[in-house]
């Protein structure tokens, strides 16, 4: 994914929004995405799968 299309501050803001929505909604997991011209430019998930964090997505892995 072309992670470079989003500014680092935008990625941080999106992660914050996901975390806040998950906490306020008391949801065990949550996913979010940003699409441009129908193509994903950012995807992220928060939560646990079978008691463990899910493997990193391509966007998460490239941001580290």
């Amino acid at each position: 994914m072309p992670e470079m299309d989003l500014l680092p501050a935008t990625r941080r803001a999106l992660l914050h929004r996901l975390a806040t929505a998950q906490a306020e909604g008391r949801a065990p997991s949550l996913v979010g995405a940003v699409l441009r011209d129908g193509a994903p430019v950012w995807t992220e998930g928060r939560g646990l799968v079978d008691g463990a964090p899910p493997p990193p997505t391509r966007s998460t892995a490239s941001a580290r």
Side-chain angles (χ1 to χ4, degrees), residues 1-6 11 36 39-42 62:
M1 275 180 237
E3 186 76 27
M4 306 308 166
D5 288 350
L6 293 179
R11 287 195 302 270
R36 287 197 180 143
V41 294
W42 178 85
S62 66

Side-chain angles (χ1 to χ4, degrees), residues 30-63:
L30 189 68
V31 296
V34 173
L35 304 176
R36 287 197 180 143
D37 296 323
V41 294
W42 178 85
T43 60
E44 188 64 62
R46 292 186 49 88
L48 300 177
V49 176
D50 294 329
T57 63
R58 281 190 279 168
S59 66
T60 303
S62 66

